[in-house]
Amino acid sequence: MNPLKLEVCFSPIQFPLFQTDDKIVVVVDILRATTVITTMFINGVNKVIPVKTIEEAKELKKTGLLVVAERDGQKLDFADFGNSPFYFTKEVVENKTLVYSTTNGTNALTLGLNSNKVIVGSFLNISSIVEYLNKSLTDVIILCAGWKDRFSLEDCLFAGALTKKLLEAGCFYTKCDSANASVDLWEKAQENLDAYLEKVAQKHRLQKLGLHNVIPYCFEHDKTNLIPYLCLEKDKLKENLPYLIV
Ligand code: MLT
């Protein structure tokens, strides 16, 4: 079998430069969107509807759905929840449908709609993603949500960790500088991850807001084998509204 191609896109603004329609897109936003989404499914959420804009979230709130929405890390006034993974316990989310809108993560998720498949990547489900992709027989792009189209170190570290595992498994190859650079950064960070995370801008943004208690959890590996994925289906709420399920 020919090896599968693996690429890394460091920012949503670069995503149109990639050929994506026949690829699996792994969307990552470690601090905090994809960690939050994975946690919601660990705790039994039924569906998560990612929306790019605040207006879409407000419209869907009128239908009675619970809304999780933040901008620049802070809960929006009309939202029911902000974006800490610790809010989404089984008692809060089990069997529920949640509307979700964040600064970067939900933008990245909706970008991948024309690809073969969009899956949610976090350290919480990284080994399950490796196993799935190795069986997928499909080329892969890891799309980093970044920060307002800028490079984000924590998303790059995840991309490096996932790329390293996929290359070592032997089903994938890469000639992508972003992929190779992400592996080097991940290996460098592994020398002392806690110390390295001091370089992460989003860590300091969250610290200023008093929201940094989640950071160790966001870097924990393999808390679940669930892989949330984005599907498009005519929905009674709104035509062609994509939503995440497992
Ligand atoms: C994002 O969308 O970049 C993050 O979810 C932002 C955050 O959680 O503070």
Side-chain angles (χ1 to χ4, degrees):
M1 180 192 79
N2 293 330
L4 299 165
K5 184 177 179 182
L6 174 60
E7 297 171 288
V8 170
C9 176
F10 279 146
S11 166
I13 202 167
Q14 295 176 339
F15 195 63
L17 303 174
F18 291 78
Q19 193 275 326
T20 60
D21 54 1
D22 56 351
K23 294 189 172 68
I24 293 175
V25 179
V26 182
V27 174
V28 59
D29 183 344
I30 292 298
L31 296 175
R32 302 167 286 181
T34 58
T35 302
V36 167
I37 292 167
T38 307
T39 303
M40 288 171 173
F41 282 97
I42 290 172
N43 289 328
V45 76
N46 179 39
K47 277 185 187 180
V48 176
I49 303 173
V51 291
K52 185 174 170 181
T53 68
I54 292 172
E55 292 69 29
E56 288 172 292
K58 284 183 174 177
E59 277 307 300
L60 286 167
K61 184 168 176 68
K62 292 173 186 172
T63 67
L65 291 172
L66 287 173
V67 174
V68 179
E70 61 76 32
R71 288 297 184 271
D72 297 320
Q74 296 191 87
K75 175 184 161 311
L76 297 179
D77 55 4
F78 71 93
D80 299 288
F81 298 95
N83 198 31
S84 166
F86 295 162
Y87 298 153
F88 305 107
T89 61
K90 189 174 179 182
E91 292 71 28
V92 169
V93 303
E94 192 169 35
N95 300 320
K96 297 263 180 60
T97 294
L98 299 179
V99 177
Y100 191 55
S101 185
T102 68
T103 311
N104 305 281
T106 47
N107 170 53
L109 279 166
T110 51
L111 269 181
L113 282 176
N114 296 321
S115 61
N116 175 291
K117 191 164 191 176
V118 176
I119 67 175
V120 168
S122 68
F123 283 108
L124 304 181
N125 65 352
I126 188 168
S127 293
S128 181
I129 287 178
V130 170
E131 186 180 348
Y132 172 78
L133 293 178
N134 281 333
K135 293 175 182 172
S136 68
L137 304 180
T138 309
D139 292 344
V140 167
I141 295 178
I142 302 167
L143 171 57
C144 298
W147 181 261
K148 299 183 182 180
D149 284 331
R150 294 170 177 80
F151 175 87
S152 111
L153 198 43
E154 69 275 15
D155 294 346
C156 172
L157 293 180
F158 173 85
L162 181 55
T163 296
K164 181 178 170 82
K165 287 174 181 283
L166 290 171
L167 295 179
E168 286 174 347
C171 301
F172 286 85
Y173 78 94
T174 191
K175 292 183 177 175
C176 172
D177 286 351
S178 301
N180 286 319
S182 68
V183 172
D184 288 355
L185 273 175
W186 171 246
E187 290 176 342
K188 171 69 180 168
Q190 283 301 284
E191 293 168 10
N192 183 338
L193 185 60
D194 286 345
Y196 197 84
L197 292 182
E198 283 309 304
K199 298 183 176 186
V200 171
Q202 178 68 343
K203 172 177 181 177
H204 298 289
R205 290 188 200 105
L206 292 174
Q207 274 174 330
K208 278 182 188 165
L209 296 170
L211 296 171
H212 55 292
N213 63 325
V214 300
I215 291 172
Y217 172 76
C218 293
F219 285 86
E220 289 184 14
H221 289 220
D222 300 331
K223 305 289 282 185
T224 182
N225 62 4
L226 294 175
I227 305 176
Y229 68 92
L230 197 59
C231 56
L232 260 179
E233 193 179 296
K234 289 197 185 313
D235 191 294
K236 63 181 180 304
L237 294 176
K238 190 175 170 189
E239 287 297 311
N240 290 333
L241 191 68
Y243 55 87
L244 290 159
I245 54 174
V246 287

